[in-house]
Amino acid sequence: MQHWRYVVMMMSLCGGVDLGVEGAQAAPSEQGGSVQATQAGSASSGAVVSSPAPVAAPSAVQPATVPSAGKSWFSDIDVGLQVEGGAMANTGHPDNGMNFGQLLQSHSDTGMLNQVALTITKPVDSIGDGYGLGANIQMLYGSDARAYITTGISDRWLDHHRYQLTPIQANIALHMPWLTKDGLDMQLGILSSPMGVEVLNPAGRAFYTMSYTAQYSNPFEHVGFYGQWHLNSHYAVLFGMDAGNQKSFGRGNNNGEPAGYVGFNASQLAGGALSVTYLLRVGPEDPRRLLGSHRAHEAQRFWNDINATWQINPKWSLTAEATQVHDEGLDANTWSGVVWGAYAATSTLTFNARAEVYRDSTGQFVVQYPEDTGYGRSLLGLPARTYTAPATTYGDLSFNAVWRPNIGHHIKLLQIRPEIRFDRSLNNTRPFADFRHQNRILIGGDVTLGF
């Protein structure tokens, strides 16, 4: 527990957190399309972003604004609906029908309704004396919900169906004029993780498929709080506390212990071209059913993630991410590096490339769940059927095009993304196509509509 006490102490020193508050991302969010009341990494629907390239750092909650004369605090509530579906064909034609190492695009040669996301956003508006208040609600229905459930809240909603229902956001957003000129921004409730580059919102990430890093070395969802203390217009201290990765409270918590974040964000550097985010996350994540109560309470998981985005010029951009995870309870480690490159050929057409190396030192992190309830059950340490590979160093090389024509007629977003992805074991294991092949090619794509 000394590690957790250290993180709490660091958060209290860096963020001025009242430790009497219980409970809360993402991601550059995990996460996306920016929502005024949330971090940019939050998974939002119906929001159109300027580029499908990855976003490396979470931006601040938007500054509180004063409602125009004659308008109420509720007058700028925004409602958005976004629908995504797609498929990835597998050249290995696995007999088990699974795209190993893909939590979202899990079934090979099968069309998926990934998301129907309804988002209600109340931007942060002034409520007097420098304080601001906003709110976010997002409900997601579809196959992606299987991997983004929160135990104790949505793990039993439609739990025996491929298409499930889960809340991605249900929080209030606060601005407080404390400590510095730009003050403190905070979200409390159900949040998307602030760690990582690739997010759940398809309008906020470059590719239909996700990197191994985003799926297995970044958290997804939290119940608790997340804050940003703005030192000035370029630098912010990041901190938060939550019930665990995709955990809530009571029966929805697998070990009864909290976890938390501390880190920093540097934005608009080098004339506005460069941004960098680092986050450390520490806390027990393994279920007591697996390790026993005492060990589950004490064994820490350490997540380290640093990412940066460089806008080289109006057409070219690069994003890089490096992660390292150590789990004391599992005695397991991962490390990874990912690079994305984007070329905006026109205002509506962008070409992307992604290269990744991901090391799973024990084979305990990269896991496939053939049953729709498997992922949620494993979070709580309940029996679940799984496919696992031995210790493997994975390589991923992906290419796609992102076309976003402006068609109007109340359609805010039409996004079409054809993709080809090459996966290979770099240490001669055979994790693909029923554990018969060292390589695999996925070909497919998705379509997203936002209203």
Side-chain angles (χ1 to χ4, degrees), residues 212 423 425 430-440:
Y212 295 100
D423 291 275
S425 165
R430 295 178 179 272
F432 305 115
D434 306 305
F435 307 102
R436 294 180 287 110
H437 294 168
Q438 187 177 348
N439 344 309
R440 183 217 19 224

Side-chain angles (χ1 to χ4, degrees), residues 39-199:
Q39 280 78 22
S42 304
S44 64
S45 72
V48 181
V49 293
S50 59
S51 170
V55 181
S59 67
V61 174
Q62 294 292 321
T65 59
V66 179
S68 302
K71 289 189 177 182
S72 74
W73 185 82
F74 297 96
S75 62
D76 56 352
I77 291 177
D78 182 70
V79 178
L81 179 68
Q82 187 165 280
V83 181
E84 179 203 18
M88 295 301 290
N90 189 327
T91 59
H93 304 295
D95 293 335
N96 62 21
M98 305 301 293
N99 290 328
F100 183 78
Q102 290 294 303
L103 294 177
L104 303 187
Q105 290 71 45
S106 54
H107 288 70
S108 63
D109 311 318
T110 302
M112 309 281 278
L113 175 62
N114 294 95
Q115 301 181 19
V116 178
L118 175 66
T119 304
I120 302 173
T121 301
K122 170 64 188 78
V124 176
D125 283 335
S126 174
I127 56 175
D129 297 325
Y131 291 86
L133 178 65
N136 307 279
I137 298 175
Q138 183 182 60
M139 295 298 298
L140 185 144
Y141 171 81
S143 59
D144 288 359
R146 297 169 302 159
Y148 275 79
I149 58 96
T150 299
T151 57
I153 296 178
S154 58
D155 55 320
R156 296 185 181 181
W157 299 355
L158 306 177
D159 59 345
H160 292 288
H161 298 77
R162 178 170 299 177
Y163 300 128
Q164 298 183 19
L165 180 69
T166 192
I168 300 300
Q169 301 274 349
N171 58 70
I172 61 172
L174 301 170
H175 175 76
M176 293 158 282
W178 296 352
L179 303 173
T180 59
K181 176 185 175 182
D182 294 322
L184 180 68
D185 291 311
M186 187 173 292
Q187 288 178 291
L188 302 94
I190 299 175
L191 316 161
S192 296
S193 167
M195 180 176 280
V197 170
E198 292 183 324
V199 297

Side-chain angles (χ1 to χ4, degrees), residues 162-413:
R162 178 170 299 177
Y163 300 128
Q164 298 183 19
L165 180 69
T166 192
I168 300 300
Q169 301 274 349
N171 58 70
I172 61 172
L174 301 170
H175 175 76
M176 293 158 282
W178 296 352
L179 303 173
T180 59
K181 176 185 175 182
D182 294 322
L184 180 68
D185 291 311
M186 187 173 292
Q187 288 178 291
L188 302 94
I190 299 175
L191 316 161
S192 296
S193 167
M195 180 176 280
V197 170
E198 292 183 324
V199 297
L200 178 60
N201 179 10
R205 69 177 193 261
F207 288 88
Y208 179 43
T209 67
M210 280 188 167
S211 63
Y212 295 100
T213 299
Q215 298 175 98
Y216 299 109
S217 288
N218 290 157
F220 284 170
E221 292 288 316
H222 302 310
V223 178
F225 74 85
Y226 179 69
Q228 302 182 54
W229 173 28
H230 302 281
L231 304 180
N232 56 38
S233 59
H234 294 286
Y235 299 97
V237 174
L238 313 176
F239 59 93
M241 187 184 298
D242 55 74
N245 179 37
Q246 297 177 257
K247 315 297 191 314
S248 59
F249 304 99
R251 72 159 189 87
N253 198 296
N254 63 357
N255 56 41
E257 294 291 327
Y261 289 98
V262 65
F264 72 87
N265 169 233
S267 61
Q268 299 297 308
L269 306 179
L274 179 66
S275 62
V276 181
T277 298
Y278 168 75
L279 278 170
L280 164 67
R281 176 175 172 82
V282 182
E285 297 285 358
D286 301 318
R288 62 172 68 92
R289 292 182 178 92
L290 178 65
L291 301 182
S293 294
H294 179 74
R295 182 59 175 157
H297 290 171
E298 295 293 327
Q300 307 292 307
R301 181 176 293 182
F302 299 86
W303 323 58
N304 286 276
D305 184 284
I306 186 168
N307 56 69
T309 291
W310 178 29
Q311 188 69 46
I312 302 170
N313 58 44
K315 288 188 174 293
W316 289 95
S317 65
L318 286 176
T319 298
E321 180 180 15
T323 69
Q324 186 272 334
V325 178
H326 171 65
D327 190 294
E328 293 180 334
L330 301 177
D331 191 23
N333 296 279
T334 74
W335 59 261
S336 66
V338 198
V339 177
W340 296 261
Y343 173 69
T346 70
S347 61
T348 60
L349 180 64
T350 299
F351 296 98
N352 297 289
R354 177 181 63 203
E356 177 185 25
V357 176
Y358 184 91
R359 173 64 179 173
D360 181 358
S361 67
T362 62
Q364 297 181 79
F365 274 83
V366 180
V367 178
Q368 197 71 36
Y369 302 92
E371 298 173 339
D372 295 326
T373 59
Y375 184 84
R377 291 179 62 83
S378 70
L379 289 172
L380 294 173
L382 297 171
R385 189 159 65 97
T386 61
Y387 297 125
T388 60
T392 298
T393 304
Y394 297 88
D396 152 36
L397 184 62
S398 302
F399 302 94
N400 83 345
V402 181
W403 183 43
R404 289 180 171 173
N406 299 313
I407 60 176
H409 303 290
H410 305 290
I411 296 177
K412 296 179 181 178
L413 172 68

